[in-house]
Amino acid sequence: MAAKKILVLGGALSGPAAATRARETDPEAEITLVGRAKGVNPALDALALRLSGEVSDSRRLEPRRPGYYRNVYGIEVKTGVTVQAIDAEKKKVKTDDGTLAYDALVYALGAQTVWPEVDGLEGASNASALDSVKDLRRVEQLLKQGKKKPPVTILGGGPTGVAAADALARRGAKVTLVEHSRQLLPGFSAPAAARAAKALEARGVEVWLSAAPDVAHRRKRRVRQIQLTDGRTVDTELVLVATGIAPRSELLAEAGAELRDDRTVAIDERCATTLPDVYAAGGVVASVHAITRKPVWTGSAADADKSAQVAGANAAGGERTLSPTLGTTIVRAGDLTLARAGQTSPDLRISIVPGTPTDRSLGDRSKVALTLYFDPKERLRGAEAFGTGGVVERIRVLATAAQGKLRLEQLADLDLGHAATHGPVRDVVNVAGRVASRGVAPVVPWRAVDLDPPPEGVMVIDVRASKARKRGRNAPAGAKHIRLPRLREKAKDFQSQKWVVFVCDTGREAYLAATIAHGLGVNEPGYLSGGLAHFDAELERPV
Ligand SMILES: Cc1cc2nc3c(=O)[nH]c(=O)nc-3n(C[C@H](O)[C@H](O)[C@H](O)COP(=O)(O)OP(=O)(O)OC[C@H]3O[C@@H](n4cnc5c(N)ncnc54)[C@H](O)[C@@H]3O)c2cc1C
């Protein structure tokens, strides 16, 4: 029998992953990988790190040569070849280098930046997206031509825009980050996004929110100034466009494949498209969300890699199915790391718990704040974490716990091990599980929105020390002040109240106060979850 012809389109992350899995599944198949870029399997997620100088040599972004795939996997690699059309009936693909026949096809052409409609932007010689190594080279060239501290404008405050702003600020550029919505990083909570903005500002980045670019004023082909719809202007030598991406699904759609509303290619759990023997993977497909069970397009590298392995194996005759995604996202903004996983919608119950990720004896001042999202049965559905240390470690535990549908109490008792070099005995994940589970005492987490202003009949008690009150944020209107150590002695001031909510800066002392109040006979005492530190940001007021 003739060897099966497997054709894989796309030479970045998913294409090579699919092709190598296909080889592992079928040692005899004739496998060809086609990509239009010069290199193969670039580390696109590290492009920003090249801009910051953390990747010292751009050759490190493409460690694998096409010859590696040829020699190790027996895969024919065609670089610099652009796919033009797919004939699904005749099972042929037209490229600018001739026609290729297939028995099974993997479509992995990824996603690309969608440019905003800004007068004068498109076609400008100093405006670029950051979708490829080619884009990176262009941006580096433009940066070399300019001043020592070139003014750079980044359009779009999603993960790519934030990573680019962080990187360019580390390099010493004068960065303005322009985001049209009220917060950076859609998908993250307002408090987390507000911290990201602050962390970037601490690095010298100017963050402009609710700011929509209107006109790119040009001298010849170069943009010199960006004007916003509100009339503000920013001078610029380079414009980086990071206003969101869209799947490159058009070639498959033209071939007759079904697309979903978000323009991703419709696939089944085997990554098969609606066309015979055509599979799709990577940035061009959505995955099923592990918690909501609805399809979700994350555009993440981890999801791309997983679908690529499934598509590659099945194109070669395997029987693999695609696992659901948690949409786990990790972003760096200055000294802050932010991460989220699972379902983090505001209609779920939440508990915000700040903590220290390292043992205090080390004198490390790093901090981490966790927000758990859970259902009325106290099953974890998602989590968010941000802080200056230990964020990624915690979100990975919480992602696993959400996927396993752990109950909060199980989270509280999870054995996460201990060494003084790596954190306190009671990890913040355990603490968060305990606090949220109401296992210790039936105390109720309250949110900022519920206390702005406090509803009638609710007594708010600020338990901070006087110094902390002076330094910190204002308590909600009408709050009474009783310092935590005096709570027992002042019990009669609040014992007879129907609703009592304690507040402090972080939520920790307030939680403790609520457990004490419960012991003193108060029914379901409340505390401000996340503390006043989250208060303004949660209400979307500038912090
Ligand atoms: C700057 C940047 C930073 C990122 N950071 C992260 C991160 O921190 N974490 C994370 O999870 N994800 C990150 N991502 C997303 C991640 O890189 C993508 O999920 C991943 O690249 C998707 O891989 P893919 O192979 O499916 O698609 P792509 O990477 O989009 O690759 C598609 C390939 O197909 C080629 N191609 C397109 N059209 C044709 C054609 N007609 N003919 C031939 N070839 C064609 C393209 O040249 C490209 O090489 C980042 C992406 C970028 C650009």
Side-chain angles (χ1 to χ4, degrees), residues 356 358-366 420:
T356 44
T358 49
D359 196 276
R360 277 167 200 221
S361 54
L362 292 173
D364 180 356
R365 297 175 67 86
S366 55

Side-chain angles (χ1 to χ4, degrees), residues 9-16 34-48 78 80-85 95 107-113 130-132 135 159-160 163-164 245 248 250-251 281-285 298-305 307-308 328-331:
L9 309 181
L13 188 153
S14 311
V34 178
R36 72 175 173 199
K38 277 194 190 142
V40 70
N41 200 2
L44 297 180
D45 51 354
L47 295 186
K78 291 178 182 289
V81 173
T82 301
V83 177
Q84 295 171 328
T95 76
Y107 184 93
L109 296 189
Q112 66 192 0
T113 297
L130 195 58
D131 285 343
S132 61
D135 286 346
T160 307
I245 55 169
R248 273 195 204 99
E250 52 289 343
L251 285 181
V284 82
V285 300
T298 66
S300 93
D303 283 336
D305 179 53
S307 61
T328 307
T329 308
I330 302 167
V331 188

Side-chain angles (χ1 to χ4, degrees), residues 237-249:
E237 274 192 18
L238 169 68
V239 185
L240 256 187
V241 182
T243 38
I245 55 169
R248 273 195 204 99
S249 52

Side-chain angles (χ1 to χ4, degrees), residues 213-291:
D214 191 17
V215 185
H217 293 294
R218 276 160 60 159
R219 194 175 308 141
K220 294 192 178 155
R221 289 190 59 219
R222 286 181 76 85
V223 177
R224 295 291 178 191
Q225 194 182 59
I226 297 280
Q227 185 182 323
L228 305 185
T229 46
D230 64 10
R232 277 185 292 173
T233 57
V234 54
D235 292 339
T236 195
E237 274 192 18
L238 169 68
V239 185
L240 256 187
V241 182
T243 38
I245 55 169
R248 273 195 204 99
S249 52
E250 52 289 343
L251 285 181
L252 212 48
E254 282 160 21
E258 196 182 308
L259 301 189
R260 293 181 343 109
D261 288 348
D262 60 5
R263 312 252 345 131
T264 56
V265 178
I267 51 166
D268 65 13
E269 58 175 11
R270 297 180 65 248
C271 291
T273 69
T274 51
L275 298 174
D277 299 308
V278 179
Y279 298 81
V284 82
V285 300
S287 304
V288 171
H289 195 280
I291 310 293

Side-chain angles (χ1 to χ4, degrees), residues 10 57 102 108 112 162 186 221 254 259 306 321 341 419 430 455 478 529 535:
D57 184 337
Y102 66 84
Q112 66 192 0
V162 166
R221 289 190 59 219
E254 282 160 21
L259 301 189
K306 285 179 189 71
T321 52
N430 298 133
S529 189
F535 195 78

Side-chain angles (χ1 to χ4, degrees), residues 27 99 128 170 176 182 199 224 227 232 252 290 297 314 332 372 384 400 422 447 456-457 477 479 485 520:
T99 301
S128 179
R170 282 172 203 262
T176 306
R182 288 162 69 176
R224 295 291 178 191
Q227 185 182 323
R232 277 185 292 173
L252 212 48
W297 183 51
N314 291 341
R332 180 178 73 168
L372 306 187
E384 181 181 84
T400 311
H422 284 84
R447 300 185 65 165
E456 196 130 331
L520 294 169

